[in-house]
């Protein structure tokens, strides 16, 4: 709430400003609010408390692990995916991860690891990396960890699991933090 109020006050005080500098500041404020909605530690590194959204996703990951399903976890933020990666490593659970910085020559190996290894139940994917060319029929769950500005990009992410060869029902879940910019994005869409 304090960050939201600070952002709103800044915009109201500078509403008459024009130009790319003010636009970049506003985009930066929106980005920070989106990160806080995912997990406050993404915007404030010294944040020591929990995140309801993060805990909810982790709880659902635990259910998936216990029921032997596989899940694609998409986020626009690699920093957000790294929080899940850290938890998976702490729990000593195998996973696959694909981001924009994954070298092209390693992509196929990462995908094959998830698709063919029954022990690898979690695939962390950034929006930038998951946009095209992925056929992930081993997954029967898709988590959208944060809403994206472009709903078609979300649908493309979900479609990664709805491919030729898919023989399971696929359940897609989108995680939205109540009373945040995420709800406002959904209303705008």
């Amino acid at each position: 709430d304090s960050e939201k109020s600070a952002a709103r006050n800044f915009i109201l005080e500078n509403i008459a400003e024009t130009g790319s500098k003010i636009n970049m500041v506003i985009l930066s404020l929106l980005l920070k609010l989106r990160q806080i909605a995912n997990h406050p530690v993404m915007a404030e590194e010294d944040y020591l408390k929990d995140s309801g959204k993060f805990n909810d996703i982790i709880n659902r990951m635990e259910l998936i692990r216990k029921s032997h399903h596989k899940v694609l976890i998409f986020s626009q933020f690699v920093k957000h995916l790294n929080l899940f990666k850290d938890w998976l490593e702490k729990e000593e659970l195998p996973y696959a991860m694909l981001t924009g910085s994954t070298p092209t020559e390693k992509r196929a190996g990462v995908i094959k690891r998830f698709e063919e290894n029954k022990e690898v139940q979690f695939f962390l994917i950034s929006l930038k990396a998951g946009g095209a060319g992925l056929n992930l029929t081993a997954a029967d769950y898709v988590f959208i960890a944060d809403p994206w500005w472009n709903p078609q990009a979300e649908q493309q992410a979900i479609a990664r699991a709805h491919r030729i060869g898919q023989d399971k029902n696929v359940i897609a879940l989108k995680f939205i933090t109540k009373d945040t910019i995420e709800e406002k994005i959904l209303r705008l869409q």
Side-chain angles (χ1 to χ4, degrees), residues 85-102:
K85 177 179 87 92
D86 293 345
W87 178 82
L88 288 163
E89 288 176 353
K90 186 180 121 212
E91 296 295 315
E92 298 180 356
L93 297 171
Y95 66 93
M97 186 166 178
L98 191 63
T99 69
S101 63
T102 304

Side-chain angles (χ1 to χ4, degrees), residues 61-78:
M61 288 170 70
E62 280 287 344
L63 290 172
I64 284 169
R65 184 184 65 76
K66 290 174 184 171
S67 58
H68 307 289
H69 291 282
K70 287 188 169 225
V71 62
L72 309 177
I73 303 169
F74 285 94
S75 178
Q76 189 164 0
F77 303 102
V78 173

Side-chain angles (χ1 to χ4, degrees), residues 85-137:
K85 177 179 87 92
D86 293 345
W87 178 82
L88 288 163
E89 288 176 353
K90 186 180 121 212
E91 296 295 315
E92 298 180 356
L93 297 171
Y95 66 93
M97 186 166 178
L98 191 63
T99 69
S101 63
T102 304
T104 306
E105 63 274 7
K106 291 188 177 184
R107 282 177 61 102
V110 171
I111 293 165
K112 184 177 180 178
R113 174 176 154 76
F114 177 75
E115 285 291 300
E116 296 179 6
N117 186 337
K118 290 185 190 306
E119 301 299 313
V120 180
Q121 294 177 269
F122 307 100
F123 198 166
L124 309 173
I125 309 171
S126 71
L127 174 62
K128 194 176 265 189
L134 294 180
N135 185 13
L136 302 168
T137 57

Side-chain angles (χ1 to χ4, degrees), residues 136-140 160-170:
L136 302 168
T137 57
D140 47 356
R160 300 294 141 226
H162 286 283
R163 293 290 197 229
I164 294 171
Q166 178 58 275
D167 58 359
K168 300 174 283 304
N169 290 325
V170 177

Side-chain angles (χ1 to χ4, degrees), residues 1-12 33:
D1 283 341
S2 64
E3 288 295 333
K4 181 174 66 175
S5 294
R8 181 179 34 245
N9 291 342
F10 175 83
I11 292 169
L12 290 173
L33 291 173

